[in-house]
């Protein structure tokens, strides 16, 4: 995983929600809950990898939508304006970035993947992104478990307080 601050990952929000079983299930209950869960997952991903994440949600069918951008848990979240798809927003932004930064786009839309490649971006399917996220979560879990085991194996956890005080006095040469 790159820790390059110049790397950007665009996530086609609804495409990913519909491709990940747990998010699709949440979506059947509440679209807002599914969006928030995706934002939470991608915030953790961004914090761990150092890759800037921009999640784009279609609002092209929402009459009168002017579009919006906000930062939620350090992730940029974009809602497109009326008559603008997430794909179009990503393409337009990819064009403006040019070749200055490494840009990946997470979508399982084959046509969009081809457009992204043609404009110098790197495509990643929703399934591949899921695999990256799952791998990241496993690494975090292993690190947390190792830290817990190390803390549990400290000498202070196995001896009484009086002995610990005596050892501390010896350490300080008192």
């Amino acid at each position: 995983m790159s820790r390059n601050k110049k790397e950007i990952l665009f996530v086609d929000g609804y495409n990913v929600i519909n491709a990940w079983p747990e998010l699709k299930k949440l979506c059947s209950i509440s679209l807002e809950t599914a969006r928030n869960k995706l934002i939470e997952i991608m915030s953790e991903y961004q914090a761990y990898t150092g890759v800037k994440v921009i999640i784009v949600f279609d609002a092209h069918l929402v009459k009168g939508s002017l579009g919006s951008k906000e930062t939620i848990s350090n992730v940029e979240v974009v809602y497109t304006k009326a008559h603008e798809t997430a794909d179009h927003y990503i393409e337009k932004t990819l064009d403006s970035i040019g070749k200055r930064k490494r840009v990946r786009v997470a979508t399982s839309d084959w046509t969009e993947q081809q457009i992204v490649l043609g404009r110098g971006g790197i495509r990643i399917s929703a399934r591949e992104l899921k695999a990256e996220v799952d791998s990241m979560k496993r690494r975090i879990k292993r690190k947390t478990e190792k830290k817990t085991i190390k803390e549990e194996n400290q000498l202070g956890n196995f001896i009484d307080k009086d002995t610990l005080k005596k050892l501390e006095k010896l350490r300080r040469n008192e």
Side-chain angles (χ1 to χ4, degrees):
M1 207 63 53
S2 172
R3 288 217 168 257
N4 182 355
K5 292 287 185 191
K6 293 187 179 188
E7 182 175 343
I8 299 172
L9 172 64
F10 284 95
V11 176
D12 183 338
Y14 293 132
N15 187 279
V16 170
I17 285 173
N18 287 310
W20 291 8
E22 70 277 12
L23 294 180
K24 193 169 187 172
K25 186 177 179 182
L26 277 177
C27 188
S28 68
I29 299 165
S30 163
L31 182 58
E32 183 178 357
T33 301
R35 281 194 302 251
N36 290 338
K37 184 65 177 175
L38 176 61
I39 293 166
E40 176 188 317
I41 291 167
M42 295 315 301
S43 174
E44 185 177 28
Y45 177 90
Q46 178 175 272
Y48 186 79
T49 64
V51 172
K52 177 169 177 49
V53 174
I54 301 171
I55 303 174
V56 184
F57 292 107
D58 286 316
H60 74 282
L61 296 177
V62 179
K63 284 187 177 184
S65 173
L66 300 175
S68 67
K69 285 184 189 178
E70 58 185 307
T71 301
I72 303 171
S73 301
N74 293 321
V75 171
E76 187 174 325
V77 179
V78 176
Y79 294 92
T80 65
K81 59 187 173 190
H83 309 294
E84 180 181 41
T85 64
D87 294 348
H88 183 258
Y89 178 89
I90 292 168
E91 292 163 16
K92 184 175 63 175
T93 308
L94 186 56
D95 286 344
S96 72
I97 292 171
K99 306 276 183 190
R100 293 174 291 151
K101 297 180 181 184
R102 181 174 188 242
V103 178
R104 295 191 309 152
V105 178
T107 181
S108 291
D109 180 323
W110 187 85
T111 304
E112 182 63 11
Q113 289 178 352
Q114 299 314 303
I115 292 169
V116 165
L117 289 171
R119 293 183 177 181
I122 300 166
R123 66 117 195 118
I124 177 173
S125 71
R127 186 181 58 193
E128 290 168 322
L129 180 60
K130 176 82 170 114
E132 277 187 28
V133 166
D134 289 346
S135 175
M136 173 206 64
K137 286 182 177 185
R138 284 190 300 274
R139 286 192 302 272
I140 290 170
K141 185 177 180 184
R142 279 195 301 270
K143 279 185 177 181
T144 304
E145 287 171 348
K146 283 181 184 177
K147 185 178 177 185
T148 302
I149 289 169
K150 187 176 179 181
E151 289 170 356
E152 288 173 355
N153 288 335
Q154 290 181 353
L155 181 61
N157 295 331
F158 298 102
I159 59 175
D160 64 83
K161 288 182 182 181
D162 289 336
T163 305
L164 196 56
K165 284 180 184 176
K166 290 176 185 174
L167 287 171
E168 182 61 24
K169 280 185 176 184
L170 284 173
R171 187 184 72 79
R172 292 183 184 175
N173 292 324
E174 292 178 3

